[in-house]
Amino acid sequence: MEDTLSAPRLARSRKLPPRAAPIAFAFFMSAIMAFLMCCVIVGANTGIDAGYPARVLGSYVLAMPVAFVCVLMVRPVVARLVGVVCRLPG
């Protein structure tokens, strides 16, 4: 019989610590934005045909690491700009 408390404990132990949240955010934000931008730019430049998915994947392989590094670099600047233009609680 399975212990009902072990499943949440196991899931919790597999999560990243809170200090990794900025890195996880940058990873997911860059992955999603790079993919969407590759889809749009490849479609606009070369059209959508049978080779479209392969061209998107080829451009994504380059764009994703670049986007990840860029998001990591601009995150502090963006946070500061948000603080300048938004009234934040606290």
Side-chain angles (χ1 to χ4, degrees), residues 25-76:
F25 175 85
F27 176 80
F28 289 119
M29 176 63 78
S30 60
I32 293 166
M33 289 306 298
F35 179 72
L36 293 174
M37 293 304 297
C38 286
C39 290
V40 171
I41 293 168
V42 167
N45 284 331
T46 63
I48 299 174
D49 58 12
Y52 174 75
R55 291 191 307 273
V56 168
L57 183 59
S59 64
Y60 183 74
V61 167
L62 172 63
M64 177 22 192
V66 172
F68 180 63
V69 171
C70 290
V71 170
L72 285 175
M73 290 187 328
V74 301
R75 185 182 177 280

